[in-house]
Amino acid sequence: MEFTVINADVIRSGRDDDYQNDSDATRTFEHFGCLDLSCSNILHIANLCLISSSNLTSLKLPVNRIEKICNLDSFTNLVELDLSHNHIKQIENLQGLVKLQRLILNHNPLTKIQNLDTQRNCLEMLDIGCCNITDYKFTLYLKKFTNLISLVIEGNPCQTEPIDSERTFILSIVQTLLVFNNRTITVEERKEAFDIHSQMITLLKKNDRKWKLMSVDEQLRLERMVDRKNAFLDGIPEGEDVDFNVSVFRNTTVEHVLMENSRYGIHNVYRTYADDFKRMITEITEAAETSRGIRSRLVHEFHEELRQLIDSGVDESRKCVSEFAEYKKRVKCGLSAGSDDGENSATNDVNIAFDEKTQVTWLTLMRHEDKLSRKITKMIAELRDVLEKQIVEFKQLVNDRFCMLQRQQNIFLQFILEYAVSSVQSDDINSRISKVSQFTNDISQCMESQASQVERAELYITQSASKWLDDIFNKLNSEEIQRNRRKISEIATFIHNQKEKSEVAES
């Protein structure tokens, strides 16, 4: 499908009158009061600077392909904005519309009602029907709008059965409404709604405050869990869980030696090893979190640079398409202004020239896309080199710390074994042999167990780091392939449509 770039011709087509005098176009745009560009296949809100921002009061852009609300800040006198039947996922960039009274956003994939604080005292009508709103939290937000008299929400997933119960609930909270879902609200309905739900409103307000307080702590906890997972530390203990004996050396011989000997030296050695253990765990954690921070920064910088590069490529394509559109306009004007003599010959020449221009435009667009794709592929490869180097350094550091940790564990267990053996030297030969054998087996099993735990922890971190690296570049490469295919498809569709129009004109 051919997309539309907003330009002077498109804006002129949105007038209600039949004004076509190009020589007076500037004056015409200055006096625009209402602009209707519905069903124009518009992708992006742009070039509205052609219109006087002080006079435009109504802007209608329904049934287009718009994904983002933008470039409307200068229209401070806008009273009505219709963006229904588009692909908008978020309400944003409306801070400058300080006089907005009617906002129509139905049939968009919206999930939240937000960023309308500027319109709290002026918005009178809001239509968010047939969106993707799944709960009624938006009612507490809309309750603060002092002049909201009409609200449409039907067709959303949050809608309940029977419909009357939803109506009663909404009316009890947003009490300024006079019309709900295109039905006038009676005084009796309002009184009944408030009586039925007054207790529920109080409870809802309390729960909302409680939810906000709880959500802060829960959000921090979840963010911490995500950060540790992204740092590959979700299998490593932290805080009070890093206990040298309880979490790591829970075995009979260690407990026996510590319990049976109250000498300061034994416990001092234990505390020294315990502190070393915690220190090395802390070093591993800090190294992992530092690595996560570096990786996050590198990936964020990559996405920012990628976004700027793609935006630049889009601007180049738009410029090329705009030049093509201007060329078409000049050719048509020249053809209509020509004399009747040799009309067929002139038409054939124009068609040949138009086909050549179409071919040149296609080659130019494909060249732009090929250049952009090669730049993005190079950026991905450069990012991979940097991240691979960073991951290798991180793995080496983790390996060194885990080797030190295992050596410390073995030295401590050897010390415990030697002390346990020396403590039974005064026993008879049979008892001594039995106890030494028991101590040795117990410490050996503990060493094997701890070596296995350390190995598993190190393996988990290094494998998670490698998997993260593979996953992120598989995703980046896949996204670039899909972007490239979509762009090539758009170019092919655009060129095909132009050729079809040319063939129809020839016939």
Side-chain angles (χ1 to χ4, degrees):
M1 181 182 292
E2 182 183 358
F3 62 86
T4 299
V5 177
I6 299 178
N7 54 28
D9 290 337
V10 174
I11 293 175
R12 196 176 294 109
S13 70
R15 289 178 57 85
D16 294 333
D17 53 42
D18 295 326
Y19 190 87
Q20 298 294 334
N21 187 355
D22 290 337
S23 64
D24 203 19
T26 303
R27 183 188 66 78
T28 304
F29 294 161
E30 287 179 353
H31 291 82
F32 265 26
C34 177
L35 180 62
D36 186 350
L37 299 178
S38 58
C39 304
S40 298
N41 204 27
I42 295 170
L43 291 174
H44 185 64
I45 303 175
N47 298 334
L48 292 177
C49 56
L50 297 170
I51 307 171
S52 172
S53 59
S54 61
N55 291 322
L56 190 68
T57 59
S58 176
L59 177 59
K60 299 179 181 180
L61 294 165
V63 196
N64 282 292
R65 298 167 63 189
I66 299 169
E67 295 182 354
K68 184 175 182 179
I69 303 174
C70 59
N71 300 324
L72 296 174
D73 288 342
S74 61
F75 295 96
T76 54
N77 289 322
L78 200 65
V79 174
E80 179 182 27
L81 177 61
D82 186 350
L83 291 167
S84 58
H85 292 270
N86 276 286
H87 306 292
I88 299 168
K89 296 181 179 179
Q90 182 177 348
I91 302 175
E92 56 186 337
N93 300 320
L94 296 177
Q95 296 87 338
L97 308 187
V98 295
K99 297 182 180 180
L100 188 65
Q101 296 178 6
R102 293 174 55 83
L103 179 58
I104 304 172
L105 295 168
N106 62 71
H107 292 88
N108 278 288
L110 293 170
T111 58
K112 294 179 65 177
I113 306 304
Q114 58 186 355
N115 301 326
L116 291 174
D117 293 346
T118 307
Q119 291 77 32
R120 281 188 181 181
N121 296 322
C122 62
L123 191 66
E124 297 180 357
M125 185 272 181
L126 177 63
D127 185 349
I128 49 172
C130 299
C131 295
N132 288 334
I133 300 171
T134 57
D135 58 54
Y136 288 104
K137 288 179 182 177
F138 70 90
T139 57
L140 294 177
Y141 180 66
L142 294 180
K143 186 179 187 297
K144 303 172 184 177
F145 286 66
T146 56
N147 289 309
L148 186 64
I149 60 176
S150 179
L151 175 65
V152 178
I153 67 165
E154 58 187 351
N156 280 284
C158 64
Q159 195 165 9
T160 60
E161 296 292 343
I163 299 299
D164 288 344
S165 64
E166 176 193 61
R167 184 177 176 87
T168 304
F169 173 74
I170 300 295
L171 298 186
S172 66
I173 296 179
V174 190
Q175 299 181 21
T176 58
L177 293 178
L178 299 179
V179 179
F180 177 65
N181 283 344
N182 299 314
R183 281 175 51 197
T184 302
I185 300 167
T186 64
V187 175
E188 291 76 13
E189 279 184 317
R190 191 185 309 282
K191 184 177 183 304
E192 179 185 3
F194 184 77
D195 291 342
I196 292 176
H197 290 281
S198 58
Q199 186 175 359
M200 184 181 65
I201 293 171
T202 303
L203 182 62
L204 189 60
K205 289 179 179 178
K206 290 182 179 178
N207 287 340
D208 185 59
R209 288 193 293 269
K210 182 179 179 181
W211 177 81
K212 286 180 180 178
L213 293 174
M214 292 178 61
S215 65
V216 172
D217 294 336
E218 180 66 13
Q219 186 66 26
L220 291 174
R221 187 185 70 82
L222 292 176
E223 288 177 359
R224 177 63 180 166
M225 287 177 61
V226 171
D227 287 344
R228 285 183 63 81
K229 184 175 180 61
N230 291 336
F232 322 125
L233 291 171
D234 42 328
I236 304 298
E238 67 170 334
E240 297 180 354
D241 293 334
V242 185
D243 188 289
F244 188 59
N245 190 48
V246 174
S247 298
V248 182
F249 293 110
R250 190 75 177 179
N251 77 90
T252 306
T253 300
V254 174
E255 291 180 341
H256 171 76
V257 170
L258 293 174
M259 186 180 300
E260 295 296 326
N261 296 273
S262 60
R263 292 169 54 187
Y264 176 78
I266 296 295
H267 289 274
N268 187 45
V269 170
Y270 168 77
R271 281 192 294 270
T272 299
Y273 280 106
D275 290 342
D276 288 343
F277 173 78
K278 290 183 178 181
R279 176 178 56 79
M280 279 180 279
I281 291 291
T282 301
E283 288 179 0
I284 292 170
T285 300
E286 290 177 349
E289 291 182 341
T290 300
S291 174
R292 176 186 61 80
I294 294 173
R295 288 184 284 107
S296 297
R297 176 178 57 80
L298 290 171
V299 172
H300 175 73
E301 291 174 354
F302 168 83
H303 281 296
E304 284 296 312
E305 186 178 352
L306 178 64
R307 181 184 60 78
Q308 294 175 5
L309 186 62
I310 292 176
D311 287 346
S312 176
V314 170
D315 289 341
E316 286 187 2
S317 297
R318 284 177 178 164
K319 182 179 179 181
C320 182
V321 172
S322 296
E323 290 175 354
F324 180 77
E326 290 297 325
Y327 172 80
K328 284 174 58 179
K329 180 180 176 182
R330 290 197 302 271
V331 169
K332 290 179 179 179
C333 290
L335 186 60
S336 60
S339 62
D340 294 336
D341 298 334
E343 182 178 350
N344 292 334
S345 177
T347 302
N348 290 333
D349 292 342
V350 167
N351 290 334
I352 292 172
F354 180 75
D355 289 341
E356 291 177 352
K357 184 64 176 178
T358 303
Q359 185 74 7
V360 170
T361 302
W362 175 68
L363 292 174
T364 303
L365 290 172
M366 290 299 293
R367 186 166 58 252
H368 287 167
E369 174 55 25
D370 181 62
K371 180 181 176 181
L372 177 62
S373 183
R374 281 188 279 108
K375 283 184 178 180
I376 294 175
T377 301
K378 182 180 178 182
M379 284 175 56
I380 293 174
E382 290 174 349
L383 178 65
R384 182 165 195 125
D385 290 341
V386 174
L387 287 178
E388 279 183 343
K389 181 179 178 181
Q390 207 282 325
I391 289 291
V392 168
E393 293 176 355
F394 168 65
K395 285 182 178 179
Q396 185 60 50
L397 186 146
V398 169
N399 178 261
D400 293 342
R401 292 299 181 272
F402 273 113
C403 287
M404 291 175 59
L405 184 64
Q406 190 164 344
R407 283 198 300 272
Q408 290 291 336
Q409 291 174 346
N410 290 340
I411 291 171
F412 174 73
L413 289 174
Q414 186 65 33
F415 167 78
I416 292 292
L417 177 60
E418 291 175 357
Y419 194 90
V421 170
S422 65
S423 68
V424 296
Q425 290 301 314
S426 59
D427 293 1
D428 62 83
I429 185 67
N430 292 330
S431 175
R432 186 168 66 248
I433 292 173
S434 175
K435 289 182 178 180
V436 167
S437 176
Q438 180 183 350
F439 293 154
T440 303
N441 290 336
D442 186 37
I443 294 299
S444 296
Q445 291 176 4
C446 186
M447 283 184 175
E448 292 177 2
S449 174
Q450 296 311 312
S452 177
Q453 288 185 34
V454 170
E455 183 180 359
R456 285 198 302 271
E458 180 186 358
L459 187 63
Y460 174 80
I461 290 179
T462 55
Q463 286 183 343
S464 296
S466 298
K467 184 178 183 300
W468 176 87
L469 194 65
D470 291 338
D471 288 347
I472 191 169
F473 285 101
N474 286 338
K475 181 181 179 182
L476 288 175
N477 287 319
S478 175
E479 288 176 348
E480 169 52 19
I481 290 172
Q482 293 176 14
R483 186 206 64 79
N484 179 253
R485 288 176 177 173
R486 286 197 303 269
K487 186 64 176 180
I488 291 174
S489 176
E490 284 183 2
I491 293 172
T493 302
F494 173 74
I495 297 298
H496 178 71
N497 287 338
Q498 298 307 315
K499 289 183 177 180
E500 281 189 342
K501 289 180 179 179
S502 177
E503 290 173 358
V504 170
E506 289 179 12
S507 61

